[in-house]
Amino acid sequence: PTEPAISVTPETLSFDASGGEQEAVIDATGEFRMGAVPEGFTVTVKRNGTVIVKTEQNSGEQKSGSVEFILTADSSKKATLNLSQTAGE
């Protein structure tokens, strides 16, 4: 049997103040769920494990946070995606 595992590539997505959309890929041995998403970011998971992260233009302070992806079969197995966006003018 396969050892339960989950990972995300890359582990960090950095956005400039103008915002935009970037992708990461989850590699998991089974179903997984997503934890809380930091304010100012939208995270969508597609069926193939691709994660789409979007953020709007930032006119304030630098934003950062992370979102966890947790393996359903073994909740001790987690992957963390770090997100940040530079401050606006």
Side-chain angles (χ1 to χ4, degrees):
T2 306
E3 192 69 26
I6 185 168
S7 62
V8 60
T9 308
E11 293 182 341
T12 302
L13 295 178
S14 301
F15 294 85
D16 60 28
S18 61
E21 179 178 309
Q22 295 187 46
E23 291 186 2
V25 177
I26 302 284
D27 184 17
T29 55
E31 296 290 312
F32 60 90
R33 60 187 169 84
M34 183 170 65
V37 176
E39 189 175 338
F41 297 94
T42 305
V43 180
T44 307
V45 179
K46 296 189 166 185
R47 288 184 184 271
N48 63 1
T50 300
V51 179
I52 311 291
V53 181
K54 294 181 185 177
T55 186
E56 300 300 319
Q57 183 170 352
N58 187 8
S59 56
E61 301 286 314
Q62 176 179 336
K63 291 189 284 194
S64 64
S66 62
V67 59
E68 278 189 333
F69 299 93
I70 303 115
L71 203 60
T72 306
D74 182 351
S75 60
S76 72
K77 306 291 186 190
K78 300 176 183 178
T80 303
L81 178 59
N82 297 297
L83 306 173
S84 66
Q85 183 180 20
T86 56
E89 293 302 309

